[in-house]
Amino acid sequence: MSTKLETSDSKAQMAMPNGKPLLLNVSMKMVFLPQRGKISKCRQSKIKNKLYKLFMQWANFLAKEAATHSLSLKQTAAFIKYFKTENLGKSEAKLASELNVDVAAFRKWMSEVYDKFAQNYPELAISNSRGKLKKLQAYLSAKHHSELDVLKPLAAMKLLKSLVVRERLQQEPWVARRICKFLGYLPLALELVGRYLDKMPDLSLETLLNQLEKKRLEHEAVVNGNSLMDYESGLAEAFELSWEQLDENAQGFGCLLSLCALTDIPLSVETREDDKKQQLNQKAIGDLLELHLLQRESKEIYRLNPLIRQLFQMKLDKSSEADEAKTKFAAMMLEVAKLIPQQPTPEDILNLTPHIPHITEVATHLSQYLGDKNLITLFTKLAWFYQGQGLYQQAEPWLQQCVELTQNHLGLEHSDVVANLNNLAGLYESTGRYSEAEPLYQQALELRKRLLGDNHLDVATSLNNLARIYESTGRYSQAEPLLEQVLELRKRLLGGEHTDVATSLSYLALLYESTGRYSEAEPLYQQALELWKRLVGEEHPHVATTLNNLAALYCYTGRYSEAEPLLEQALELRKRLLGEEHIDVGTSLNNLAQLYESTGRFSKAELLYQQALELSKRLLGDNHPDVAISMNNLAALYRNTRRYRKAKPLFEKALKICERILGVSHPTTMTVRANYASFLKEAYH
């Protein structure tokens, strides 16, 4: 696991083809039942309305599942398209053409969708490849049915009895049964009515039923059968009674929450400086919970039922404050997004993950309530969140959209356009798509030269970025003069005593090392090391990184006795400065293990490889390229010590992660694939 040097591009920033996110299309084609005898127009209308509502419920359910499982925009589009009611039975080729993508891309997205569901539901993971999507369809149908399950009449009465004082129901038993029927025996509607009755102890059941029936007549006169408000379960009517129990503040708070994504909502009101506002929000949450319009999942974590969310949204859209509320919510999510650093730590990721679906909701559905500059910031921060975890496929559409938006808003001749070109190119570089990264880096370089002239630090950064592409693709003769030019430019503009100069020395040393010119690389590493020590002191992570790189050079030249103390020093320095739970510590463990393996100390190497693997899993999760590299290295040790049964599953997992995260053509993926193929040849032939 080699250590990557940081670039010095302070403007490096971090989206969807054509600059537009794929919005969820939940429109439905109308399906008519075959007629058997004459059906009145009124009856036909009711049938169509009921079918429409069933389709809408299914579409909303799919949208919620997509958000809950953190599907990317492309994955969500494929998921919704595949499982929409009217598309069942269509070929993959037909569905792909409707999304304007090729079949291979569509299949890839659906495979990724299945994998995400299988992570949470192990029973899906054991399916054979042919029956995977059918099994997912069955799972989704069963879950949807359970969420909207209609109770038997007796079960509905039992639920109502658990919510309302028994004596109260016994006074009007037949009315209680009529209320259950009016509510379509739907548990959610019964919950709302039960909570409402609990707040109105003197209200008779007969009066309640009259109120519900009156609400239905009002809705039928207004909504024309075009929404959930006239759904036959009586849910809308039950919601309306609860809505009228809320004060204006709680109503507004519920409407604001309805703008959140269909997933857990982190709510903390204790951090507000305004005590009065804090008290109002606390009361609003309490009122919503009391009426069962909001569910508390755990401490400071809440959730809206999808149907309640839609009813709140309909209230909001009818109000004169809709635009103001949406602007406010978008601004709130922007402020949260601004907390995402370019290189998020595991702690950052843990703290920010609950907010990401809601930030994404703004980016995809409320983007018109943010100015272009703020929208670019939002896209950038989302990309940083995913890219910092190695989730490049999820970061890419946001980066693409940043480029498109900046070019449209600022024109082609602007420094912010350069920054976004660099960021997108950097992602392509990270995933081994060098042919896509190179023209973007070249475009950024030429643009910077025109805007800033040849003698500018940002031009040096662009030269450095382009040189990295040349080096990664084996064009060392093209990379070398660029790196030398960068070093000379930085020395001239910054002087010899600068951190950027130290970075340039290290990059040039890496190139010399890659071309076998170890005697030329070594003094550059040593110069960089001394420079870092003078500039930042001996107790600094950059010093540890340079020690690590110099030690790697010694290993390449067989000078293990010189490399070992440097690797040990780098490891101890990182533990002391960064703490033992840091990914750079994992890198040092891995590198020291490689040295032990190279010198035949296999038991020591195995222990460090295992520690590195467990650490990377804890910090990065099970699906990260660094985890795959650790698996590959441990598997290689098992192979070298002829423990083939231990090696095989690690190679397989490592290859699967690399192919899914980095793509099949990335150099790391190809290295792991070659190692696995070599292992199979040795172990089974």
Side-chain angles (χ1 to χ4, degrees), residues 43-102:
R43 178 61 176 160
Q44 288 179 14
S45 177
K46 286 185 177 181
I47 291 172
K48 289 194 290 183
N49 289 342
K50 189 169 184 178
L51 287 171
Y52 176 81
K53 291 158 197 164
L54 290 172
F55 292 159
M56 286 299 295
Q57 289 166 11
W58 176 246
N60 286 333
F61 169 77
L62 293 177
K64 182 191 75 171
E65 288 296 301
T68 300
H69 290 82
S70 300
L71 302 188
S72 70
L73 297 178
K74 292 178 180 178
Q75 292 163 352
T76 297
F79 173 70
I80 297 291
K81 176 67 71 171
Y82 189 94
F83 288 112
K84 278 170 67 174
T85 304
E86 73 270 29
N87 288 337
L88 297 178
K90 285 186 181 179
S91 68
E92 289 181 337
K94 176 65 174 174
L95 297 176
S97 68
E98 291 177 3
L99 284 176
N100 294 318
V101 299
D102 57 49

Side-chain angles (χ1 to χ4, degrees), residues 351-366:
N351 292 333
L352 290 163
T353 292
H355 301 279
I356 296 301
H358 311 295
I359 297 171
T360 304
E361 185 77 10
V362 170
T364 53
H365 297 113
L366 298 175

Side-chain angles (χ1 to χ4, degrees), residues 130-407:
R130 178 173 294 182
K132 278 186 173 182
L133 293 180
K134 285 187 176 180
K135 188 160 188 175
L136 180 56
Q137 167 71 31
Y139 159 77
L140 291 170
S141 297
K143 185 175 181 182
H144 178 57
H145 179 73
S146 67
E147 288 190 8
L148 284 180
D149 202 8
V150 175
L151 299 175
K152 299 287 187 182
L154 288 178
M157 276 297 296
K158 186 176 180 181
L159 175 58
L160 194 59
K161 287 177 183 178
S162 71
L163 299 167
V164 182
V165 177
R166 181 182 296 271
E167 290 76 13
R168 196 170 175 186
L169 296 180
Q170 289 175 342
Q171 291 174 6
E172 301 175 90
W174 290 107
V175 180
R177 291 186 176 88
R178 287 168 59 196
I179 289 173
C180 290
K181 183 177 181 181
F182 181 93
L183 298 175
Y185 307 108
L186 189 69
L188 177 59
L190 289 162
E191 285 273 4
L192 293 186
V193 164
R195 298 298 179 92
Y196 177 78
L197 285 169
D198 192 49
K199 283 182 66 69
M200 307 286 287
D202 296 325
L203 183 70
S204 72
L205 300 188
E206 185 71 40
T207 301
L208 170 68
L209 182 58
N210 290 336
Q211 289 177 348
L212 290 170
E213 290 172 340
K214 182 180 178 182
K215 294 296 180 187
R216 175 162 294 174
L217 290 174
E218 291 173 357
H219 296 154
E220 287 177 350
V222 175
V223 299
N224 297 320
N226 217 7
S227 71
L228 287 178
M229 293 296 281
D230 65 339
Y231 183 54
E232 289 181 5
S233 69
L235 176 61
E237 290 79 5
F239 172 83
E240 190 68 24
L241 293 179
S242 299
W243 170 266
E244 292 172 353
Q245 286 293 305
L246 299 173
D247 61 23
E248 185 177 348
N249 177 63
Q251 289 177 349
F253 197 82
C255 289
L256 193 67
L257 291 183
S258 74
L259 298 174
C260 293
L262 278 166
T263 186
D264 287 345
I265 304 171
L267 273 181
S268 176
V269 297
E270 295 180 2
T271 58
R272 292 187 176 273
E273 296 179 4
D274 186 338
D275 289 341
K276 184 177 180 181
K277 186 65 176 176
Q278 177 179 323
Q279 292 172 4
L280 286 172
N281 287 341
Q282 286 174 333
K283 183 179 184 302
I285 292 172
D287 291 346
L288 293 170
L289 289 172
E290 187 178 12
L291 288 168
H292 200 63
L293 297 172
L294 181 69
Q295 286 81 48
R296 182 179 182 273
E297 300 295 309
S298 59
K299 183 180 180 182
E300 297 186 343
I301 299 295
Y302 300 85
R303 186 181 282 262
L304 277 178
N305 178 281
L307 299 179
I308 297 297
R309 175 179 181 261
Q310 184 163 347
L311 289 163
F312 268 126
Q313 283 185 346
M314 292 170 66
K315 285 290 186 183
L316 178 62
D317 290 338
K318 289 180 180 179
S319 76
S320 59
E321 289 85 26
D323 287 341
E324 180 183 349
K326 291 174 182 178
T327 301
K328 176 182 177 182
F329 181 74
M332 288 167 54
M333 291 300 100
L334 175 65
E335 290 307 307
V336 177
K338 287 179 179 178
L339 300 175
I340 303 172
Q342 186 164 1
Q343 295 178 323
T345 64
E347 185 179 3
D348 291 328
I349 293 166
L350 179 65
N351 292 333
L352 290 163
T353 292
H355 301 279
I356 296 301
H358 311 295
I359 297 171
T360 304
E361 185 77 10
V362 170
T364 53
H365 297 113
L366 298 175
S367 60
Q368 67 270 35
Y369 295 96
L370 292 172
D372 285 345
K373 185 175 181 180
N374 287 334
L375 196 55
I376 291 168
T377 299
L378 199 70
F379 293 162
T380 297
K381 295 294 188 173
L382 282 169
W384 286 359
F385 177 79
Y386 290 118
Q387 193 165 6
Q389 301 174 73
L391 302 173
Y392 302 113
Q393 290 179 346
Q394 285 155 279
E396 182 181 347
W398 301 115
L399 289 177
Q400 290 173 331
Q401 195 153 307
C402 277
V403 171
E404 186 82 10
L405 194 56
T406 50
Q407 288 178 338

